Amino acid sequence: MRLSHYAVGRDNNFTLLRFSAAMTVLFAHSIGALGLPPETEPVFRRVGFSLGEMGLDALFVTSGFLVTASLVNRGDLISFFWARALRVYPALWVMLLLTVFVLAPALTTLPLHDYFASDMTWSYFAKCGTLLGGIRYSLPGVFDTLPLKGEFNGSLWTMPVEVRMYIYVAVLWVAFALLPALRSKGMRFVSVVAVALFFVIVLRGRFSEGAFNGANIRMFMYLYGSALYLWRDRVPMGVGTLLALLAALVVASFDRTTFLIVYLLAMAPFVLHLAYVPGGRIRRFNDWGDYSYGVYIYAFPVQQTLAFLFPALTLAAMMASSAAVSLAIAIVSWKLIEERALEHKDDFAAKTWRLFNLGLARMGVTAGPDPST
């Protein structure tokens, strides 16, 4: 059976998988928030990178797969960009308003006038609110005494990478606009080349003496997930393949170099097997809501706040308390902001198309039918 057989409809485990991945990132960050060494995590000691990094990779694999599917199935960039923008920005902006203008002023060691007068405050809000050209990490006078000194919401560093990948996929789509008959084959070819290129870049980065760029492996995972969607009619799936991938990862974990190579090759298909192969009652998680994004964008400032207020917290207490608080906030974010924003994506796309066609009509150009209707 092939991946294309599974990759239809919404009956899958992506919601549970992404939530679990966001939680692993939270648990991994608990170690850093308390100033504990990375070796505190058994996974890090064994293979050289943390469970949190694996959670990030799972998020980027699923994002690459689902975002590419969204573009291919929608078939037009306006609908695609509205879907992406409404998934990312409304919840992000509310989070920034709450953390930059409510939480941080309550915790800063500076007088409030100095905090709000600082260019750092407004630069942080602007950069993190647009996700263009990177983010800012610190707010004036906040968390300067913690082990993760001055880091207010370190998790956001991946968000500009994610948005950049949306743009890359869209550019690839547009590049074949004049040759729609070759679009599928062209995108397949480019996807394989891109995955192979980043595979080499990641390996060279890991084994060279220079600083390792974590963004490269995230982009590799995104591109790998995207390529697997484009090649879905050729990708084998099944319980046997799932067990073989798991066995390969376990066996390879006895040597760090071997594990890295096997991990890069096996992680993306392994994640997609977890998303599609297990069935039954586990699928009921989809009915609860998608809380992964809320957990991801709120967990870091929650953990830093807990570390600031309760410096004697144990690791177990940090994990449990930050998970509970972050999940509670994520549920509210999903119910009040994210879910409601996503309900308008088709309406906004249709209105944008009407404005676009109206503008062309005034110039005497015929644009053709509105693809969003």
Side-chain angles (χ1 to χ4, degrees):
M1 197 170 292
R2 303 295 176 179
L3 179 55
S4 56
H5 175 82
Y6 291 91
V8 291
R10 297 181 178 274
D11 186 24
N12 53 58
N13 300 314
F14 277 112
T15 301
L16 174 59
L17 189 62
R18 291 177 65 82
F19 175 76
S20 301
M23 279 295 183
T24 65
V25 174
L26 179 151
F27 293 147
H29 283 168
S30 296
I31 295 173
L34 295 176
L36 301 174
E39 290 77 14
T40 302
E41 185 185 300
V43 174
F44 185 92
R45 285 202 306 269
R46 188 171 188 86
V47 300
F49 51 100
S50 72
L51 191 62
E53 291 177 288
M54 296 180 187
L56 272 182
D57 291 337
L59 288 172
F60 272 84
V61 169
T62 59
S63 184
F65 185 86
L66 294 174
V67 169
T68 303
S70 173
L71 178 57
V72 171
N73 293 328
R74 290 176 182 278
D76 78 270
L77 289 180
I78 289 178
S79 296
F80 171 74
F81 277 123
W82 270 118
R84 294 299 91 220
L86 291 174
R87 187 66 189 98
V88 171
Y89 285 104
L92 177 71
W93 290 337
V94 172
M95 181 276 294
L96 289 173
L97 288 172
L98 292 174
T99 57
V100 176
F101 299 116
V102 179
L103 177 63
L107 299 176
T108 183
T109 57
L110 299 180
L112 289 182
H113 176 271
D114 293 344
Y115 173 83
F116 286 110
S118 173
D119 291 339
M120 186 186 296
T121 301
W122 299 101
S123 175
Y124 179 97
F125 185 77
K127 293 293 288 186
C128 294
T130 58
L131 301 177
L132 301 176
I135 65 165
R136 296 290 182 265
Y137 289 90
S138 301
L139 286 168
V142 183
F143 301 146
D144 288 338
T145 61
L146 296 183
L148 296 177
K149 183 178 179 180
E151 290 194 39
F152 189 72
N153 196 342
S155 293
L156 296 184
W157 79 267
T158 65
M159 299 299 297
V161 179
E162 176 100 359
V163 171
R164 196 187 317 155
M165 299 312 294
Y166 298 163
I167 296 172
Y168 290 166
V169 173
V171 168
L172 182 59
W173 180 267
V174 171
F176 290 98
L178 298 178
L179 299 169
L182 298 178
R183 176 174 275 158
S184 178
K185 291 182 179 179
M187 291 182 69
R188 282 185 169 196
F189 174 77
V190 173
S191 70
V192 170
V193 173
V195 169
L197 176 62
F198 271 88
F199 180 77
V200 174
I201 290 174
V202 170
L203 289 181
R204 288 186 62 184
R206 277 289 185 181
F207 299 138
S208 68
E209 296 181 357
F212 177 72
N213 185 354
N216 287 336
I217 192 170
R218 310 291 95 85
M219 289 190 283
F220 168 80
M221 291 296 174
Y222 184 101
L223 292 167
Y224 201 170
S226 177
L228 288 174
Y229 180 81
L230 295 171
W231 288 89
R232 61 195 179 280
D233 57 337
R234 301 288 185 89
V235 179
M237 293 279 287
V239 176
T241 310
L242 172 60
L243 294 176
L245 290 167
L246 178 60
L249 289 168
V250 172
V251 171
S253 67
F254 290 94
D255 178 77
R256 288 191 174 189
T257 300
T258 303
F259 181 81
L260 175 61
I261 296 171
V262 173
Y263 175 81
L264 292 176
L265 295 174
M267 182 61 173
F270 179 68
V271 167
L272 294 180
H273 273 76
L274 293 179
Y276 284 118
V277 173
R281 294 183 179 180
I282 195 174
R283 300 285 171 88
R284 294 180 182 177
F285 190 88
N286 291 324
D287 299 330
W288 296 358
D290 186 357
Y291 308 135
S292 59
Y293 185 51
V295 168
Y296 189 79
I297 62 176
Y298 280 100
F300 199 99
V302 166
Q303 291 176 310
Q304 287 286 76
T305 301
L306 290 172
F308 178 77
L309 297 176
F310 309 102
L313 273 180
T314 64
L315 179 58
M318 172 61 81
M319 288 182 175
S321 58
S322 62
V325 174
S326 300
L327 177 57
I329 298 173
I331 292 173
V332 175
S333 177
W334 172 255
K335 297 293 185 183
L336 297 185
I337 303 163
E338 299 166 52
E339 188 175 32
R340 295 185 180 186
L342 289 170
E343 291 174 353
H344 297 287
K345 60 181 183 293
D346 292 334
D347 292 338
F348 286 0
K351 291 177 181 178
T352 304
W353 268 110
R354 284 196 289 271
L355 289 173
F356 180 70
N357 287 335
L358 178 61
L360 291 179
R362 288 179 174 177
M363 293 186 293
V365 179
T366 301
D370 180 350
S372 64
T373 60

